[in-house]
Amino acid sequence: MEAMNQAQGNGAGWNLEATYQTLPKALFEPCEPVPVKQPTLLLFNRAIAEHLGLDAKQLETQDAIFAGNALPPGSQPIAQAYGGHQFGQFNILGDGRAILLGEQVTPIGERYDIQLKGSGRTLYSRRGDGRSAMGPMLREFILSEAMHALGVPTTRSLAVAATGEAVHRETLQPGAVLTRVAASHIRVGTFQFAAAMSNYEALKALTAYTIQRHYPEVNQAENPPLELLNQVIAKQAELIAQWMSLGFIHGVMNTDNMSICGETIDYGPCAFLNAFNPGMVYSSIDHQGRYAYGNQPNIGHWNLVRFAETLLPLLHEEKEQAIELAQNALDDYAERFNVAYKRRMLAKIGIEQEEEGDFDLAQRLLNLMQASDADFTHTFRALSEERAVPLQLEAAPEYQEWRTVWESRLGSQKAESLEAMRRVNPWIIPRNRWVEEAIEAVVEKGDFEPLGHLMGALERPFEGSEATREFLTKPYEEDESYQTFCGT
Ligand code: AMP
Ligand code: MG
């Protein structure tokens, strides 16, 4: 085992900075990962390593770094403070099982947080053990990389390392550490933390830092905090519309899991739809359906209201005026979401320039899919290639009528429209059952073949490679009791 603090991997391309530590100390706590018994690298993402300017070949031999047993050179590790509404209930949280190793500045000057997740207890661990089970960390790796390949803004996964230690959940499970890469880990909850502490200085500094790091153009605006709010609203409206267009259910859209830079973050209980059903919930703890597929746009708004509340003291000296400014900005969310959602749903049926009745056409297809339990992804891809749509849908009498109207709408543009559809309707998504099977093979048998195979197919979801096609006929429906769990 490596001694803590012993810098490892010099020359591997590490270029870590720690600008977050210029913020008031209330927002973070210096803290080191807790070494584990037996670090063993399980997965390593060469593509993202190269993007980060890291030498994949060297790092693949440095298991210690990715388990938290050694620090990369230049690392000044911290745990970040944040709060958050969890299922509507506000709590003070913070990195209870994560450590920010630093910000890697890439060869082209981009800045990414490098974070270990599952790296041991911190000041913010409350009653938790600071650890993660291997299954959920593999799941985050697969899902986040699949989302990236689908073109969705998301945190990425650099590595998963086994710890050689067991974690106690409902059962004893092998532990692992995930190395997460993010544009930053600043959340709605980070602002809520500063606001809840009534720490105006921290709030002001955090706002300035966030603008500088993610939205520098906002500094030109007359009221930069207000423009920050506008930008975050726009980013989230677009992100959630994109999730909806792919059948993605985040599953735990607590305000601490909403990133200010607009990346999808926290892959605990997320899942993709099979059959189209707006009420779909997979998460074992979401009893009310707060984070159901069809409720995501509303919850996005709810979270953004919480964000706006934290910014009030910075929007205007007069509280009433601040509220009015915030309200006006928030009122734009619905319109922004609707525009983005409409654009994406119309693109899914090959329509670029909206004409009257087009959105109704898209909506009618969704209704038919819902009534016939048709698979969301397969239906759109089948339409894109003039293959037969799922049987249940094909058999619905209104479907033939819908299809006639749709085809006449595409008219002479049909070939081009279908080509455009193939760029937005994936062949393959990370279906829950396949993901489970791949994880199980690694955790229970140390067999990486199914995972490698699945990830290979997920890499080019729109292209229809041989690997992808193979998954077309692979059974994917889970039984009705299938549930996802927070990665705790
Ligand atoms: P999450 O469900 O991953 O969004 O986590 C919500 C909060 O619980 C965050 O503050 C986490 O750091 C914390 N947390 C989750 N799991 C653990 C754990 N095993 N030990 C300590 N803190 C945890
Ligand atoms: Mg979280």
Side-chain angles (χ1 to χ4, degrees):
M1 198 198 308
E2 307 293 327
M4 268 316 291
N5 272 332
Q6 185 191 319
Q8 247 211 12
N10 267 311
W14 289 108
N15 185 23
L16 293 173
E17 294 186 358
T19 62
Y20 202 77
Q21 280 96 309
T22 61
L23 287 168
K25 296 204 175 334
L27 291 171
F28 61 89
E29 189 66 32
C31 183
E32 292 190 353
V34 181
V36 302
K37 209 161 132 194
Q38 196 179 6
T40 313
L41 204 49
L42 299 177
L43 296 177
F44 187 80
N45 188 337
R46 289 184 164 206
I48 183 83
E50 271 155 33
H51 184 80
L52 291 168
L54 297 171
D55 182 339
K57 250 196 164 141
Q58 269 194 53
L59 288 180
E60 272 173 328
T61 62
Q62 293 169 7
D63 310 51
I65 285 185
F66 301 103
N69 282 32
L71 292 173
S75 173
Q76 297 174 50
I78 56 169
Q80 293 177 310
Y82 54 87
H85 278 89
Q86 301 179 297
F87 291 89
Q89 184 76 39
F90 184 74
N91 292 307
I92 295 294
L93 303 165
D95 288 333
R97 54 161 168 173
I99 294 283
L100 179 64
L101 292 178
E103 303 145 21
Q104 172 76 3
V105 180
T106 72
I108 57 165
E110 293 173 327
R111 181 180 301 275
Y112 290 97
D113 277 7
I114 309 292
Q115 191 203 60
L116 298 183
K117 183 168 171 183
S119 49
R121 287 181 56 82
T122 74
L123 188 72
Y124 310 111
S125 295
R126 296 172 291 161
R127 283 187 298 273
D129 60 2
R131 293 296 182 193
S132 302
M134 189 185 288
M137 297 303 98
L138 296 172
R139 195 164 192 277
E140 173 153 347
F141 193 103
I142 299 169
L143 269 292
S144 63
E145 290 307 301
M147 287 286 272
H148 172 73
L150 286 164
V152 185
T154 177
T155 62
R156 305 285 304 272
S157 298
L158 176 60
V160 177
T163 60
E165 295 172 6
V167 294
H168 296 259
R169 295 298 179 255
E170 260 139 54
T171 55
L172 269 188
Q173 292 177 40
V177 177
L178 173 86
T179 306
R180 179 156 73 181
V181 178
S184 87
H185 286 84
I186 303 169
R187 313 140 189 269
V188 167
T190 316
F191 284 79
Q192 286 183 293
F193 176 84
M197 296 289 126
S198 306
N199 190 335
Y200 181 71
E201 284 314 308
L203 185 66
K204 227 170 73 176
L206 178 64
T207 303
Y209 178 88
T210 304
I211 290 174
Q212 197 57 44
R213 185 156 171 187
H214 295 302
Y215 303 96
E217 67 286 359
V218 159
N219 276 322
Q220 313 305 319
E222 199 181 312
N223 185 341
L226 178 62
E227 194 47 31
L228 171 67
L229 176 61
N230 280 323
Q231 296 288 330
V232 173
I233 288 170
K235 275 269 163 64
Q236 286 297 331
E238 190 65 49
L239 179 69
I240 297 171
Q242 198 173 6
W243 291 352
M244 299 299 286
S245 77
L246 291 165
F248 177 76
I249 312 171
H250 183 285
V252 61
M253 291 172 70
N254 295 332
T255 55
D256 52 302
N257 294 334
M258 184 183 260
S259 162
I260 293 295
C261 66
E263 287 181 342
T264 308
I265 187 169
D266 214 315
Y267 286 86
C270 68
F272 279 78
L273 286 176
N274 290 326
F276 178 70
N277 170 11
M280 196 63 205
V281 172
Y282 279 109
S283 167
S284 64
I285 56 171
D286 190 1
H287 307 298
Q288 316 282 326
R290 181 181 172 90
Y291 302 134
Y293 169 76
N295 211 26
Q296 298 184 115
N298 291 334
I299 285 296
H301 182 261
W302 194 92
N303 289 351
L304 289 163
V305 176
R306 304 286 85 74
F307 179 50
E309 284 167 355
T310 70
L311 291 178
L312 288 177
L314 302 176
L315 295 181
H316 201 282
E317 285 166 20
E318 308 275 340
K319 195 168 176 196
E320 309 265 285
Q321 299 224 33
I323 291 174
E324 199 182 318
L325 289 172
Q327 196 56 60
N328 287 339
L330 288 162
D331 285 348
D332 287 344
Y333 170 82
E335 176 67 10
R336 288 183 195 270
F337 173 79
N338 287 336
V339 168
Y341 178 71
K342 217 184 222 187
R343 190 186 77 241
R344 289 186 182 276
M345 295 313 287
L346 291 183
K348 285 179 84 68
I349 55 169
I351 296 172
E352 202 185 322
Q353 293 291 334
E354 187 186 0
E355 288 174 13
E356 206 182 313
D358 282 346
F359 190 56
D360 187 51
L361 191 65
Q363 199 61 53
R364 269 168 48 213
L365 176 62
L366 291 178
N367 293 344
L368 286 172
M369 285 164 64
Q370 187 179 355
S372 61
D373 273 333
D375 184 87
F376 184 77
T377 301
H378 278 344
T379 298
F380 285 108
R381 187 70 204 195
L383 287 175
S384 315
E385 305 176 355
E386 300 189 274
R387 267 192 294 114
V389 295
L391 275 180
Q392 317 95 304
L393 180 60
E394 189 78 46
E398 302 94 329
Y399 169 71
Q400 299 306 334
E401 194 193 315
W402 180 88
R403 185 157 183 130
T404 311
V405 178
W406 175 61
E407 297 213 353
S408 81
R409 170 63 180 88
L410 297 187
S412 60
Q413 298 292 306
K414 188 170 168 192
E416 289 144 43
S417 299
L418 293 181
E419 203 188 316
M421 285 168 69
R422 292 193 286 270
R423 290 195 291 268
V424 294
N425 293 317
W427 283 89
I428 183 169
I429 48 164
R431 306 257 185 195
N432 307 315
R433 179 166 163 185
W434 302 337
V435 173
E436 289 308 306
E437 285 171 2
I439 292 171
E440 222 177 271
V442 173
V443 174
E444 286 173 14
K445 292 180 275 179
D447 175 8
F448 288 81
E449 208 275 329
L451 188 146
H453 198 63
L454 176 61
M455 288 202 70
L458 289 167
E459 237 167 60
R460 288 183 195 82
F462 300 105
E463 273 177 30
S465 63
E466 206 174 299
T468 314
R469 265 174 248 261
E470 196 188 305
F471 277 91
L472 263 191
T473 49
K474 194 173 157 82
Y476 61 84
E477 275 170 20
E478 59 271 343
D479 58 53
E480 287 188 8
S481 62
Y482 178 80
Q483 287 190 319
T484 57
F485 298 89
C486 283
T488 43

